[in-house]
Amino acid sequence: MHDPRIDKLANLLLDHSCRIQPGERVVIEAFDLPEMNLVCALVEGAAERGAIPLVTTKSNKVLRSLYRTATKESMEAAAKFEKDRMDSAQAYIGIRGAANSSQQADVPQERMDLYQKYWWHAVHSEIRVPKTKWVVLRYPTDSFAQAANMSSSAFEDFYFNVCTTDYVAMQEAQLPLKKRMEAADRVKITAPGTELEFSIKDIPVIPCFGERNIPDGEVFTAPVRDSINGVIRFNTQSRYQGTVFSDITFEFKNGKIVKATANNTERINAVLDSDEGARYCGEWSLGTNNRVRHPMLDTLFDEKIGGSFHLTPGNAYDIADNGNRSRIHWDLVLIQREDYGGGEIWFDGELLRKDGRFVPADLQGLNEGL
């Protein structure tokens, strides 16, 4: 049976996220999708708009074998193969499903580093992100529903409701926050186990409303690279390179993570030792999608949670650049709503948000639905 929600999502990706124009080449990359209805809708929709769809399907099981056998030469060869394609495209739509979200858990860290450095970074950090109109999203699978502690049917309803929200209204509600972040210098954050301070002075601020991620709902900038001091304890789990981390705590001194602990302290320090920039942060962002309430071990959803923020060890985006460079970019989420222990965010001595709710009058639109 045809699902009209697929068409609504496809049209959103083509028209709102990527603004597809006639003659443009659109790379559609699908990972482990249980069915191809969305890919077909995108192909047909792109063609109807006069664009040229280019499709790649990938298996996470096969990718695991590629990563486990990685050498510098093999990753550079794979990157060259994909760079040529990405260089020729004006838009990119990446759809990720997963039969097993932990497929890469047993890939040795040094092999993942080779993939990150010679393949992913060369294709995505250097070409896709700065040079194409791109959007990435997950796809509702049984394993995804399981991670969210929901039935497959209930999760599908949640997924399409969240992904096809009113992004125009979201953009309008984010504008006052963008202005406040642009004017701010010192940020202070408190939460259970967290006392953190840093500066965001003169770093660009980017509101996100469905152009690059689906679902969306965040306003991000970057800390001044050497300004972070204090301790932060993240209260959500995070899956990174196939490993699930929990109880993550960082101690910062002059911007650098000088101590890191977690349920797997050895592995998290191996990730942070990937390169010099991995122990510094390249992004700080406030989540503003109040339809997303609880973590589900998926960064694209978790980082948008209403009443949350995320802090990111690793590479800064060119559009909100603090100068930090790394092949790592790992968004870690702390939820500050009362049901997650509460917390406060202060800008230059003014209380901006308390227990997940924005305090100033001009930001009340961001509390809708909380």
Side-chain angles (χ1 to χ4, degrees):
M1 181 182 294
H2 182 72
D3 189 340
R5 299 176 301 183
I6 294 286
D7 294 331
K8 184 177 181 180
L9 180 56
N11 290 334
L12 176 74
L13 296 169
L14 292 167
D15 294 328
H16 176 77
S17 301
C18 291
R19 307 175 305 284
I20 296 301
Q21 301 298 315
E24 291 184 330
R25 288 180 290 276
V26 186
V27 170
I28 302 164
E29 190 168 53
F31 298 75
D32 275 359
L33 299 194
E35 43 83 10
M36 290 291 171
N37 292 340
L38 179 56
V39 174
C40 292
L42 288 168
V43 168
E44 293 170 11
E48 288 170 1
R49 289 160 175 78
I52 302 167
L54 305 169
V55 178
T56 298
T57 61
K58 289 183 174 178
S59 160
N60 288 317
K61 188 173 183 178
V62 173
L63 288 172
R64 172 181 173 274
S65 294
L66 286 170
Y67 301 157
R68 282 175 62 86
T69 60
T71 63
K72 177 177 180 291
E73 291 73 23
S74 69
M75 295 296 96
E76 285 180 330
K80 184 179 187 307
F81 179 74
E82 295 203 343
K83 281 169 66 176
D84 292 342
R85 179 192 59 174
M86 197 71 77
D87 251 336
S88 73
Q90 286 74 49
Y92 170 91
I93 301 173
I95 314 161
R96 291 181 175 269
N100 177 3
S101 298
S102 299
Q103 192 69 261
Q104 274 80 58
D106 59 353
V107 178
Q109 184 64 46
E110 62 270 18
R111 303 282 180 157
M112 289 303 300
D113 287 347
L114 291 172
Y115 159 69
Q116 291 280 347
K117 181 176 182 178
Y118 295 109
W119 182 351
W120 195 93
H121 187 75
V123 175
H124 296 274
S125 293
E126 294 183 356
I127 301 175
R128 189 254 296 174
V129 171
K131 297 182 181 179
T132 73
K133 298 180 291 184
W134 60 271
V135 62
V136 295
L137 66 156
R138 299 292 187 257
Y139 196 80
T141 62
D142 289 342
S143 67
F144 200 174
Q146 187 175 31
N149 293 312
M150 299 172 71
S151 70
S152 296
S153 178
F155 184 73
E156 275 196 11
D157 291 340
F158 163 78
Y159 173 89
F160 285 108
N161 177 53
V162 168
C163 288
T164 58
T165 190
D166 186 345
Y167 288 112
V168 174
M170 179 181 288
Q171 179 183 12
E172 292 176 359
Q174 290 173 341
L175 285 176
L177 177 59
K178 176 180 186 291
K179 292 178 181 178
R180 283 181 172 269
M181 292 173 71
E182 287 172 336
D185 177 3
R186 301 298 306 177
V187 176
K188 179 181 179 181
I189 299 174
T190 64
T194 297
E195 290 278 349
L196 202 68
E197 294 192 32
F198 53 87
S199 172
I200 56 172
K201 185 177 176 61
D202 296 331
I203 306 290
V205 176
I206 311 298
C208 300
F209 42 86
E211 292 186 311
R212 294 291 175 261
N213 288 177
I214 298 292
D216 215 343
E218 64 172 293
V219 182
F220 77 87
T221 183
V224 173
R225 186 178 186 270
D226 300 328
S227 70
I228 309 178
N229 284 286
V231 177
I232 184 168
R233 185 180 187 276
F234 298 97
N235 59 6
T236 66
Q237 294 181 311
S238 178
R239 179 183 283 111
Y240 193 73
Q241 297 179 352
T243 297
V244 175
F245 295 91
S246 61
D247 304 314
I248 300 170
T249 302
F250 292 157
E251 180 180 340
F252 286 89
K253 184 174 181 180
N254 297 329
K256 185 176 183 178
I257 300 170
V258 295
K259 183 179 180 181
T261 59
N263 62 320
N264 191 335
T265 295
E266 182 179 357
R267 178 90 181 201
I268 200 170
N269 279 281
V271 172
L272 296 174
D273 289 336
S274 297
D275 54 37
E276 181 182 354
R279 285 189 178 268
Y280 292 82
C281 289
E283 181 187 351
W284 178 66
S285 182
L286 292 164
T288 64
N289 190 329
N290 297 333
R291 296 189 183 192
V292 188
R293 304 284 295 175
H294 305 289
M296 58 189 73
L297 273 177
D298 186 274
T299 299
L300 280 180
F301 280 74
D302 295 354
E303 68 179 0
K304 313 304 191 313
I305 290 172
S308 77
F309 71 85
H310 59 271
L311 186 65
T312 307
N315 199 57
Y317 289 119
D318 290 343
I319 55 175
D321 198 2
N322 69 352
N324 198 46
R325 291 294 172 264
S326 174
R327 56 182 173 270
I328 298 301
H329 184 93
W330 187 5
D331 297 316
L332 294 169
V333 178
L334 197 162
I335 305 171
Q336 292 182 298
R337 299 197 314 267
E338 279 190 303
D339 52 331
Y340 282 87
E344 298 178 349
I345 297 176
W346 296 74
F347 280 4
D348 298 321
E350 179 184 3
L351 182 60
L352 183 88
R353 202 175 73 179
K354 180 177 177 61
D355 296 339
R357 297 184 63 87
F358 290 96
V359 175
D362 59 323
L363 301 182
Q364 293 306 301
L366 292 170
N367 291 331
E368 185 176 345
L370 270 180

